[in-house]
Amino acid sequence: VFNFMSQKYSLVTGASSGIGLEIAKYLARLGNNLILTARRESVIKNLTKNLIDKYNIKADYIPVDLSETGAPKKIYDFCEEKKYSVDTIVNNAGYGISSPFHSSEMEEEEKCIRVMTISVISLTKLLIPNMINEGYGRIMIMSSVAAFAPPSEIQSMYGPTKTFANRISDAININYNKEGIFSTAICPGYTITNFHTASGVQDEMDRVPNFLKKTAKRIAVESVEAMYDKKDIYVPTKTWKIIAFLINNVPRFIFKFLTNIIAPGRFKK
């Protein structure tokens, strides 16, 4: 059941571009009030205004960098001060490291972990007590098909953090389904966004066949619907459902061989 014109709010992290932007648009189209977060204040400020004008919803924004310690608490305090009751959390913010694992700074690895895992845990811990009191909550955690695959040579920590994201979602469901709270781990494949350029792997993305690359809008729509349908884990598009099945069922050496043919650069050995 969609949350049409509710006085509750949906919180979307990483809402300035890509999948997060399209999720914000789709939630607004469905009548959800929004709290948008991202690093770029000018972008989310304009987005917030546009969504209010177009869909006649309530919306607000807070510029934060989730790689900084204390950022989730800053978001929580903002909601408390404004008396926004959050019944939906979309944990979409991402972080990529372009340099190899052995040469990246430890500070970069810590920032990656804060954005991809710690912020998810922190926001959930801070906001879930109100969901328990209300007997309703929806949580989306943007994971990836990479959660199922062997870690790659590029962005070595990406896959492991996504595997952990799936487990966080499982833990929320085991503990809080009985309270009316459901978490969905979304596991898309290659999606056309600016993330690959920002994280230094656009060359590898360019070599991926077009039939494997899906639009952010399509992923967003399927993701929101899966969240409201209480899916524990969801792989958007039929193409990537098949690939996820193969990843989970074929021997690793065959998977690596096929990946090097279809998407060269992920595994060099």
Side-chain angles (χ1 to χ4, degrees):
V1 178
F2 292 117
N3 196 19
F4 293 104
M5 297 309 295
S6 168
Q7 296 307 302
K8 305 293 185 178
Y9 284 78
S10 297
L11 170 67
V12 183
T13 70
S16 61
S17 64
I19 298 173
L21 171 62
E22 295 301 331
I23 287 175
K25 289 179 180 178
Y26 190 52
L27 286 171
R29 198 175 98 194
L30 294 172
N32 286 268
N33 301 318
L34 297 175
I35 302 164
L36 306 179
T37 80
R39 290 179 299 170
R40 297 178 291 171
E41 180 171 6
S42 61
V43 176
I44 56 169
K45 179 179 180 180
N46 291 333
L47 173 61
T48 300
K49 183 180 184 303
N50 290 340
L51 293 178
I52 291 171
D53 292 343
K54 185 171 183 179
Y55 296 107
N56 193 30
I57 61 166
K58 296 179 180 179
D60 206 342
Y61 69 92
I62 173 172
V64 292
D65 184 346
L66 287 171
S67 71
E68 297 178 354
T69 302
K73 182 64 162 54
K74 184 178 178 181
I75 295 171
Y76 173 76
D77 289 344
F78 173 82
C79 294
E80 286 291 289
E81 180 182 343
K82 300 277 188 140
K83 301 189 183 305
Y84 296 148
S85 179
V86 176
D87 70 353
T88 302
I89 310 170
V90 176
N91 295 284
N92 170 76
Y95 196 98
I97 301 174
S98 59
S99 54
F101 179 73
H102 69 276
S103 60
S104 62
E105 296 291 334
M106 190 59 215
E107 183 180 355
E108 283 295 302
E109 304 291 353
E110 291 175 354
K111 287 181 177 180
C112 176
I113 292 169
R114 280 198 289 271
V115 173
M116 305 281 255
T117 60
I118 293 175
S119 71
V120 176
I121 297 169
S122 297
L123 283 171
T124 303
K125 282 182 69 67
L126 290 165
L127 294 169
I128 206 168
N130 182 62
M131 294 180 179
I132 294 172
N133 289 337
E134 296 292 331
Y136 177 92
R138 295 296 178 268
I139 299 167
M140 182 193 301
I141 302 176
M142 191 55 63
S143 183
S144 169
V145 167
F148 312 126
S152 68
E153 190 164 321
I154 58 172
Q155 296 194 352
S156 300
M157 292 301 295
Y158 185 80
T161 60
K162 294 305 188 182
T163 301
F164 187 52
N166 286 6
R167 299 296 287 161
I168 294 170
S169 188
D170 285 341
I172 293 168
N173 283 323
I174 288 169
N175 285 281
Y176 297 107
N177 279 175
K178 63 182 178 293
E179 305 287 351
I181 299 164
F182 293 84
S183 178
T184 302
I186 304 294
C187 299
Y190 292 115
T191 307
I192 302 168
T193 69
N194 65 359
F195 175 79
H196 302 91
T197 299
S199 57
V201 293
Q202 188 60 49
D203 288 344
E204 287 78 10
M205 182 64 169
D206 291 341
R207 293 200 291 270
V208 173
N210 287 333
F211 80 93
L212 291 178
K213 294 186 279 193
K214 308 303 179 181
T215 66
K217 183 176 181 179
R218 180 175 178 184
I219 300 303
V221 170
E222 288 197 28
S223 298
V224 171
E225 291 176 352
M227 177 181 68
Y228 282 123
D229 286 341
K230 305 177 185 177
K231 303 286 188 183
D232 290 341
I233 190 165
Y234 184 78
V235 180
T237 78
K238 290 181 180 179
T239 302
W240 283 100
K241 282 182 174 65
I242 293 169
I243 294 173
F245 174 82
L246 293 174
I247 292 172
N248 284 316
N249 289 278
V250 303
R252 283 197 171 194
F253 75 93
I254 295 177
F255 169 74
K256 288 184 178 181
F257 174 76
L258 292 174
T259 301
N260 280 327
I261 294 173
I262 296 173
R266 183 176 175 85
F267 302 103
K268 295 183 180 178
K269 295 182 181 180

